Amino acid sequence: MKIRHILLAFLAVLTLAWSRDAFFLNPIAGDAPWVVRTQAIYLTGALSMGLMSLVMILATRPAWLEPVLGGMDCIYRLHKWAGILAISLGVAHWLAKLSKGPLKDLIGAAIHKPAKFPALDFLRPVHGLAEDVGEWVIYALIASLVITLWKAFPYKPWRLLHRAMPALYLALVFHTAALTPANWWLQPLGLIMGVLMLGGSAAAVMALRQRIGIRRRHAGRIESVRALPSGITEVECAMDAGWPGHRAGQFAFVTFDAGEGAHPFTIASADQPQARRLRFQIKALGDYTSGLAQRLRAGQPVQVEGPYGRFDHRRGAPRQAWVAGGIGITPFLAWLESLQDHPERAPRTDLHYCIRDAARDPFVERLQVLCAALPRITLHIHDASAGQHLDAETLRRQYAQADGAMDIWFCGPAGLARHLESGLRSLGIEDMPVRREAFEMR
């Protein structure tokens, strides 16, 4: 299910509930501009708070939602875009509140405002505080949004700032509860929002207590650390007896250093239920990952939370194209390894590996060995240094040979995915599924 469809459906439910309540709670008893302003405040506030509640619930990494939404990477994409939309609507809510002064100047002070319903009695003494809290929180959220979208901002400070989100959310719960009319909570929208805010508050408390994912955390030890070409660090880990095993193509949140926290890495090894060994091949993409090879040592403890993800070729068509860009080859390596003992289970596949320089790439030789043992899989190396690039026309030809029954599995840079998807659309192919592993922490 597309992320935008989920968000549109979520907003539609809240908007429909609001439309039923709008004029019941605020009957038209005066000038239309005041009615519009009042309803704009309620609607933008409800939509923003509903989305913020959804963001908090998704932040708990609910594995039970993976089958519905298509994997934890999709859950995090929904989390990200719901957060962006929530802050945007929060800004609209704030601007609607600020419009009181200009509106008075425009239509005059002697106007008949719509009837105003009282808030919850026991929260009336903190009405003014709740308004101030809401204003300061929106400033903090705007700053957080700017930092999140500013990719050059260092990850570690961003992560520390992101940890304040549960506290900001609870402040918004206080703001909403104190300022919302009492009878509003008994209407359909109020009941929906009450459930969402209870769920969001529970998630916020869980986050503040650092209990997210605690039941899926497992201890292990680093067995080996190896520096590979192109800034890649290979880490082998032996897990304790509680490790449940994984499916090839899944990922996990790995903590090498408690001070640094968990980072998501694809498990690059096939599932080994008895051996309980995991291999991670980590690309140097920032300050932390750049120095891993020097900081990690065999024997160090490691904590692994997971496994997560539903990037699994077994859910695909009999004819497939696997497209990897750079370090995005790791889930495909796990797939290839898992098929070595059962080559007949491999779908008929063209594996496209897009790299900058084949001569320096640490995976080309291993891929050639693995694919040689799997006659149903054909390896294509696209070496940018030799002017070789994968284009949509190549995928179209393979699609035509498959009589329209083919899907694409993609893991790699978002820019490459967009290029191929737009190319396929321009060629008139819009019905070929493109299943992307698109995990991003920010």
Side-chain angles (χ1 to χ4, degrees), residues 27 103 250 283 357:
L103 195 58
Q250 290 189 296
K283 177 75 171 179
D357 187 353

Side-chain angles (χ1 to χ4, degrees), residues 8 23 35 40 84 94 96 102 112 126 142 148 203 209 219 222 249 323 350 380 391 394 439:
L8 286 173
F23 296 106
V35 175
I84 291 172
W94 174 58
H112 186 76
V126 294
I142 292 171
T148 297
R209 295 181 62 202
I222 297 174
V323 180
D350 288 280
H380 306 271
D391 56 24
T394 300
F439 198 90

Side-chain angles (χ1 to χ4, degrees), residues 7-58:
L7 287 174
L8 286 173
F10 185 85
L11 293 174
V13 169
L14 294 181
T15 303
L16 286 172
W18 162 83
S19 66
R20 183 265 181 206
D21 299 343
F23 296 106
F24 172 76
L25 291 178
N26 290 276
I28 299 177
D31 297 84
W34 280 102
V35 175
V36 171
R37 172 184 175 271
T38 300
Q39 294 305 328
I41 290 172
Y42 282 129
L43 178 60
T44 54
L47 295 180
S48 178
M49 198 62 198
L51 286 167
M52 284 296 293
S53 301
L54 177 64
V55 166
M56 289 308 309
I57 293 169
L58 294 177

Side-chain angles (χ1 to χ4, degrees), residues 133-328:
V133 165
E135 183 173 350
W136 285 105
V137 168
I138 197 63
Y139 296 151
L141 290 176
I142 292 171
S144 174
L145 177 61
V146 170
I147 290 171
T148 297
L149 297 177
W150 179 24
K151 297 297 185 181
F153 193 83
Y155 174 80
K156 189 170 184 178
W158 170 83
R159 184 176 64 86
L160 293 174
L161 290 172
H162 208 64
R163 283 186 176 179
M165 285 298 165
L168 294 177
Y169 173 79
L170 292 175
L172 285 177
V173 170
F174 165 68
H175 168 84
T176 304
L179 299 179
T180 300
N183 62 335
W184 182 84
W185 296 105
L186 299 178
Q187 306 308 313
L189 180 59
L191 293 172
I192 294 171
M193 290 299 300
V195 172
L196 285 172
M197 289 166 61
L198 283 173
S201 298
V205 172
M206 185 186 301
L208 291 172
R209 295 181 62 202
Q210 299 186 17
R211 305 288 290 179
I212 291 177
I214 192 168
R215 294 183 180 178
R216 300 176 71 92
R217 295 178 194 169
H218 305 276
R221 289 198 171 273
I222 297 174
E223 284 202 326
S224 66
V225 181
R226 191 159 63 107
L228 303 179
S230 301
I232 293 170
T233 302
E234 181 179 270
V235 184
E236 298 263 5
C237 301
M239 302 305 298
D240 64 13
W243 176 251
H246 70 282
R247 297 189 306 273
Q250 290 189 296
F251 67 89
F253 289 89
V254 184
T255 303
F256 295 119
D257 177 358
E260 176 65 26
H263 288 255
F265 300 123
T266 298
I267 302 171
S269 53
D271 50 314
Q272 300 170 313
Q274 302 303 320
R276 299 193 304 273
R277 280 174 169 75
L278 304 179
R279 183 188 312 122
F280 300 99
Q281 287 161 336
I282 303 166
K283 177 75 171 179
L285 297 174
D287 294 340
Y288 175 68
T289 51
S290 296
L292 271 184
Q294 291 72 42
R295 288 195 297 271
L296 300 184
R297 295 288 182 272
Q300 285 183 216
V302 62
Q303 184 183 87
V304 179
E305 179 195 325
Y308 294 108
R310 290 177 59 81
F311 196 66
D312 188 345
H313 69 85
R314 291 173 295 183
R315 299 189 295 118
R319 184 74 166 86
Q320 301 182 12
W322 299 352
V323 180
I327 198 60

